[in-house]
Amino acid sequence: MDGPGGTVGDLGAAPVERRTAPAPVAPPPAAEAPLWWVWLAAWPVTAVFALSNAATPLYVLWQRDIGFSKGALTVVFAFSIVGLLGSLLVCGVLSDRLGRKPVLLPALGLALVARAVFATASSVTALIVARLLTGVAVGAAVSAGMAAVTDMAGERRRRLGALLASCAMVLGAGLGPFLSGLLSEALPAPTVTVFLVEMALPATALLVMVRMPAPRPAASATVALVGAVHASSVVALLSAAVLAGAGQGMGQLGGLSLLSATVAPHRPAEANSALNMGGYLLAGSLPVAAGFLSDAAGLTTGATVFAGVLAALAAVGGLVVVTVGCRVPEIS
């Protein structure tokens, strides 16, 4: 006998309804941030990186007023690397665990404090403190700031996120000394007024970060450098600077693109930290060695040895990329 719910057996069992399990519903895709927020997210990175080299044109004035050797100057630079490496070790993990804002907001505050210390510096110790604070702020921008840009870009625009994060870093690294050099020629007491004016950069970046809806979680340049030193040519020196900047920009973009393609999406800040730690370890140690070598053997010899070491490292890096590049998945 057939019942309304199915076939009923001879023992008079109750009708059995056959129900199919509902198909799983995919979670809705996360809403993408407007494109203008992706661009704005890069501004804090630029503002902090502008501090990293902002003091460079002014060291000759501090050397004249305070009095210290080229070796002491490289030690001042090295303390920035100390702060940066320590910051990279901590900020990447914190950013992936706590979110971008809890790391970037204090970093922008440190950038303001560092500029204030630079503006009032009257000793090598003060310059060391300012550089140490600078390194900590830059380390946070490298890890949390660049990850924030890729977060805002989202999965569909990850190429754009990697490009903007890289450009923001390189733009800031060039903008700082450019503004310092320009303002030092136009303003009185440049070692003070330059940094007071440049406080506008992290101040505006703070406003961006407060409002931002951040989710939680090259060999040709070294050849040009050697030629410029041996020939005492300003044109050659400018060419070396342009080539070095281009090499840094392409290397940074390539590294960020590689991370975007291969790193788990919940650990981008830690990956940024690891990428930049490798670069800044050498960026801190090699200039210090070159500075003391220049004191002992002269600027020409020091710059030549420095360029030779960089060229050798670039060649080794190229071989590594060629050797293992086929194993790396490309960004689709």
Side-chain angles (χ1 to χ4, degrees):
M1 172 180 174
D2 292 335
T7 303
V8 179
D10 296 336
L11 300 179
V16 177
E17 294 185 6
R18 295 181 179 177
R19 299 179 181 176
T20 57
V25 179
E32 285 188 339
L35 184 60
W36 57 271
W37 262 121
V38 182
W39 285 82
L40 273 181
W43 176 239
V45 178
T46 299
V48 174
F49 265 92
L51 175 62
S52 64
N53 295 322
T56 301
L58 305 175
Y59 282 115
V60 63
L61 301 180
W62 279 312
Q63 279 187 302
R64 181 197 65 194
D65 297 338
I66 300 174
F68 49 84
S69 67
K70 291 189 287 292
L73 179 59
T74 57
V75 172
V76 172
F77 271 93
F79 269 88
S80 176
I81 305 300
V82 171
L84 185 145
L85 292 177
S87 180
L88 288 175
L89 286 171
V90 176
C91 290
V93 176
L94 286 180
S95 176
D96 285 337
R97 302 298 186 273
L98 304 179
R100 312 306 179 206
K101 284 187 178 182
V103 174
L104 282 174
L105 289 174
L108 290 167
L110 280 180
L112 282 169
V113 173
R115 281 177 166 91
V117 175
F118 271 127
T120 58
S122 58
S123 65
V124 173
T125 301
L127 293 177
I128 287 175
V129 171
R131 291 292 296 180
L132 185 65
L133 294 176
T134 297
V136 175
V138 171
V142 164
S143 54
M146 299 175 81
V149 178
T150 56
D151 287 348
M152 295 298 295
E155 182 67 21
R156 187 175 63 87
R157 299 179 300 203
R158 59 180 178 175
R159 284 180 181 271
L160 175 64
L163 177 63
L164 286 180
S166 178
C167 289
M169 174 182 141
V170 176
L171 174 62
L175 181 64
F178 173 77
L179 287 178
S180 295
L182 191 65
L183 295 174
S184 65
E185 294 293 329
L187 300 176
T191 56
V192 176
T193 53
V194 163
F195 292 103
L196 295 179
V197 172
E198 288 192 3
M199 282 184 177
L201 301 181
T204 54
L206 273 170
L207 295 177
V208 170
M209 280 306 306
V210 169
R211 300 295 302 274
M212 189 173 74
R216 293 190 59 181
S220 56
T222 60
V223 172
L225 173 63
V226 173
V229 172
H230 283 274
S232 300
S233 169
V234 174
V235 174
L237 186 61
L238 289 174
S239 299
V242 171
L243 290 171
Q248 180 183 359
M250 289 186 289
Q252 191 70 28
L253 176 58
L256 288 174
S257 298
L258 180 63
L259 295 185
S260 178
T262 59
V263 173
H266 62 283
R267 304 183 69 181
E270 291 180 65
N272 283 334
S273 297
L275 171 68
N276 285 276
M277 280 183 66
Y280 281 110
L281 276 171
L282 293 177
S285 58
L286 289 180
V288 170
F292 282 105
L293 181 61
S294 297
D295 276 342
L299 176 62
T300 300
T301 300
T304 302
V305 173
F306 178 69
V309 173
L310 288 182
L313 291 173
V316 172
L319 289 175
V320 171
V321 171
V322 171
T323 302
V324 304
C326 57
R327 306 176 191 171
V328 177
E330 295 184 358
I331 300 176
S332 56

